């Protein structure tokens, strides 16, 4: 409870709140109105500032340290993105404003659609979905409508490899599909024989990530596309690992029909903790009429145009008619995320290809640094997959198995992940993909220096040599020690640090 004098807001509080709704305004039903003000803490402004600054310091982010969370592409977020998205022409506009008043945003939307289509070898792009998972759902719905329009609505199965992200089967199942999971071959790659055995007249689509979540490029992807297409199915590309291939190859060339992009991964965006994201999708021409609208479009001036609109105007296109699957998101997607991603891409321009080269280089460098043949590390961890591909180059991320060290002294992958927090790192992705036992999945991204990677490899070795007691009881230095995840999820208790009142 504060006794500090403050000019604004509630007496003694460092915040202000809107006036209570006047009793004369009757647009809000009586039963829904507050009878008294909420019991918010009367914290003074300095107390409030300290509270939020304290919270920000308890949190781990890419701004505080190396964040090798595999598959999530936690790259540095250039500050120029924030400058651009905060320009009044971007952040003061309303989604219902006339097209003529939001030409800047519309031109950015249009350029993003074009750029994403070119990078991925697709024909049409919508920026509406606000997460990769929502993009998956949207594209699979388009594929579903495509099959129905061909009188093939009986196709009810979607094939996913066992290395797939959980969102793939979840999205397909939300569309009503049954999932057929196929095992990976012993080298970790797609098993063509297993695929051949799985396809049939009931195949609607195959969903696959390339490079896979094992960081391996699926070298037989064209063969896979041919097999699925011959069976009448469609190929869906999970673009979460797009950071590895931009400018080098594209899903269109590999035979895909639809793709999602995780703009918040590949094109930078603060996205720890679940948002805000952007998961546009791109499709080949035969699927474009099913896309949700609106989309940005360019109108060329026509001589004698009665509307008098000139060249270079942009507008949202809403005339796809009845074939569209409808809206999947309010307004026009997550505009702020699109603008930040656009700013990021504009900085690289044609050099976007270098981004992928450095992401792959950093990943291979760190992998070899950790698996240093001169150390005894090979007795403690395995580079995965262990057969065949071991000598291969990985793409932008790689997986390690902590099984050997677990067998020797009981230290699990989770213990090592927790101990890395004490060294000032975010933990790598843990226990995913599930086909790697005691898995840690590491993605350094292109924005880390050699010095950071060297230090991480040295610290990783240090953890492996530590007294197992210290590792299994880690973390020791974080504001919150090891939590019981099941208990924490089922018995959530939130306490306010200032008032200590339960919420
Ligand atoms: C992150 C991710 C997704 C889902 O993307 P969201 O934007 O988190 O919904 C799908 N597949 C893979 C491989 C991913 O890494």
């Amino acid at each position: 409870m504060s006794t500090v004098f403050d000019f604004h807001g509630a007496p003694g509080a460092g915040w202000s709140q809107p006036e209570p709704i006047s009793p004369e305004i009757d647009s809000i039903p009586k039963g829904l109105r507050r009878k008294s003000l909420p019991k918010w803490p009367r914290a003074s402004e300095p107390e409030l500032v300290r509270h939020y600054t304290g919270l920000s310091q308890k949190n781990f982010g890419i701004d505080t340290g190396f964040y090798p969370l595999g598959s999530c592409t936690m790259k540095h977020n250039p500050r120029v993105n924030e400058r651009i998205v905060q320009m009044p022409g971007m952040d003061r506009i309303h989604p219902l404003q006339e097209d003529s008043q939001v030409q800047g945003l519309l031109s950015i939307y249009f350029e993003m659609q074009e750029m994403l289509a070119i990078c991925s070898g697709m024909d049409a792009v919508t920026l509406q979905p606000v997460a990769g998972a929502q993009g998956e759902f949207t594209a699979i719905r388009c594929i579903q409508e495509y099959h129905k329009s061909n009188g093939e609505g009986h196709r009810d199965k979607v094939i996913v490899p066992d290395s797939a992200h959980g969102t793939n089967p979840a999205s397909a199942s939300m569309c009503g599909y049954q999932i057929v999971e196929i095992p990976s071959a012993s080298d970790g790659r797609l098993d063509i024989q297993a695929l051949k055995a799985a396809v049939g007249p009931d195949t609607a689509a195959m969903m696959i990530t390339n490079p896979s979540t094992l960081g391996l490029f699926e070298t037989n992807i064209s063969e896979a596309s041919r097999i699925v297409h011959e069976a009448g199915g469609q190929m869906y590309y999970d673009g979460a690992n797009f950071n590895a291939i931009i400018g080098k190859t594209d899903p269109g060339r590999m035979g895909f029909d639809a793709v999602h992009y995780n703009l918040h991964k590949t094109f930078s965006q603060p996205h720890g903790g679940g948002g805000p994201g952007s998961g546009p999708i791109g499709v080949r021409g035969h699927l474009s009429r099913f896309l949700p609208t609106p989309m940005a479009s360019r109108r060329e001036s026509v001589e004698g145009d009665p509307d008098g609109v000139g060249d270079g105007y942009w507008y949202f296109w809403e005339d796809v008619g009845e074939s569209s699957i409808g809206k999947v998101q309010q307004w026009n997607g997550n505009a702020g995320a699109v603008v930040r991603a656009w700013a990021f891409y504009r900085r690289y321009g044609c050099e976007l290809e270098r981004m992928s080269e450095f992401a792959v280089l950093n990943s291979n460098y760190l992998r070899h640094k950790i698996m240093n043949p001169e150390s005894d590390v090979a007795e403690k961890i395995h580079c995965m997959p262990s057969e065949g591909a071991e000598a291969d180059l990985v793409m932008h991320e790689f997986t390690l198995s902590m099984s050997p060290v677990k067998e020797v002294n009981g230290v699990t992958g989770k213990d090592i992940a927790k101990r890395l927090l004490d060294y000032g790192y975010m933990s790598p992705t843990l226990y995913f993909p599930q086909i790697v036992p005691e898995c840690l999945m590491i993605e350094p991204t292109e924005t880390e220096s050699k010095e950071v990677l060297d230090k991480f490899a040295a610290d990783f070795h240090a953890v492996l040599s530590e007294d197992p007691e210290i590792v299994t009881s880690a973390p020791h230095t974080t504001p919150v020690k090891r939590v019981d995840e099941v208990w924490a999820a089922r018995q959530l208790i939130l306490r306010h640090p200032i008032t200590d009142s339960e919420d």
Side-chain angles (χ1 to χ4, degrees), residues 70-72 130-134 136 164-168 209 213 238-241 260 262 264-265 277-279 432:
S71 208
C72 297
V130 295
Q134 197 186 16
E136 291 170 25
H165 195 265
T167 50
N168 292 185
T209 314
T213 60
D238 176 333
N241 293 343
H260 83 252
N262 301 69
H264 45 285
K265 296 180 181 176
S278 180
F432 175 77

Side-chain angles (χ1 to χ4, degrees), residues 51-165:
H51 170 65
Y52 284 109
T53 306
L55 286 184
S56 76
Q57 289 168 342
K58 282 182 180 153
N59 213 352
F60 191 93
I62 184 70
D63 293 347
T64 35
F66 182 42
Y67 207 129
L69 192 69
S71 208
C72 297
T73 315
M74 305 303 285
K75 60 177 69 177
H76 168 68
N77 302 299
R79 293 306 186 266
V80 65
N81 297 359
E82 302 306 315
R83 292 277 295 273
I84 290 172
V85 81
Q86 282 167 23
M87 287 164 68
M90 304 292 166
D91 84 343
R92 300 282 158 79
I93 55 181
H94 191 278
L96 289 181
Q97 256 171 274
E98 292 288 328
D99 290 351
S100 63
Q101 296 171 355
V102 292
Q103 290 293 294
L105 182 72
L106 279 173
S107 65
I108 287 177
Y109 261 56
F110 187 77
E111 195 172 309
M112 272 313 266
Q113 290 172 189
E114 298 275 286
M115 185 277 289
L116 290 172
I118 291 168
C119 287
S120 61
M122 294 291 127
D123 299 315
V125 169
T126 171
L127 302 170
Q128 256 192 49
V130 295
Q134 197 186 16
E136 291 170 25
F137 172 79
T138 308
I140 294 294
R141 279 285 298 114
C142 292
I143 287 174
Q144 193 167 37
E145 290 306 312
Y146 168 75
H147 284 312
K148 277 188 199 157
S149 73
N150 290 339
E152 302 245 311
H154 62 275
R155 294 180 178 270
D156 61 352
K157 302 221 163 44
V158 169
I159 300 171
V160 292
D162 58 3
S163 58
H165 195 265

Side-chain angles (χ1 to χ4, degrees), residues 146-357:
Y146 168 75
H147 284 312
K148 277 188 199 157
S149 73
N150 290 339
E152 302 245 311
H154 62 275
R155 294 180 178 270
D156 61 352
K157 302 221 163 44
V158 169
I159 300 171
V160 292
D162 58 3
S163 58
H165 195 265
T167 50
N168 292 185
S171 307
S173 130
M174 274 181 73
C175 296
Y177 283 119
Q178 287 173 40
I179 311 303
V180 182
E181 189 182 272
I182 55 170
S184 300
S186 60
D187 68 354
R189 292 195 165 85
L190 179 64
D191 186 336
I192 287 288
Q193 295 314 320
L195 175 62
K196 278 186 181 155
V199 295
D202 55 358
T203 302
M206 175 180 200
M207 301 177 83
I208 184 167
T209 314
N210 193 19
S212 73
T213 60
L214 290 162
L216 298 175
F217 191 82
E218 300 285 6
T219 41
N220 46 21
I221 194 66
S222 304
E223 168 81 344
S225 295
R226 192 184 54 75
I227 293 168
V228 171
H229 283 145
E230 270 174 16
Q234 294 281 289
M235 286 291 281
Y236 180 79
Y237 181 84
D238 176 333
N241 293 343
F242 210 35
N243 212 45
I245 63 155
I246 287 198
K248 296 292 171 195
T249 182
D250 64 62
R253 258 187 256 187
M254 299 176 205
F256 285 93
D257 303 288
V259 8
H260 83 252
Y261 322 84
N262 301 69
L263 291 191
H264 45 285
K265 296 180 181 176
T266 315
F267 295 90
S268 84
Q269 192 88 216
H271 67 283
S278 180
I281 62 168
V283 296
R284 299 300 306 271
H286 62 281
L287 294 173
S288 63
R289 69 194 167 101
F290 304 104
L291 286 175
T293 58
M295 294 186 329
S297 180
R298 182 177 196 173
R299 186 158 48 189
E300 312 253 330
S301 63
V302 184
E303 210 153 324
D305 183 349
D307 296 341
V309 282
D311 212 5
Y313 283 77
W314 320 80
Y315 64 101
F316 279 100
W317 173 66
E318 293 190 45
D319 57 358
V320 282
E322 285 167 15
S323 51
S324 165
I325 63 162
K327 277 183 84 67
V328 294
Q329 184 64 31
Q330 63 188 351
W331 311 123
N332 313 312
N334 195 346
V338 173
V339 172
R340 283 187 189 86
W342 173 84
F344 179 86
Y345 133 73
R346 270 303 195 127
R347 254 182 110 209
Y348 278 93
C350 295
E351 293 292 299
L352 213 49
E353 192 178 344
R354 304 280 162 269
M355 167 184 98
S356 294
E357 285 172 5

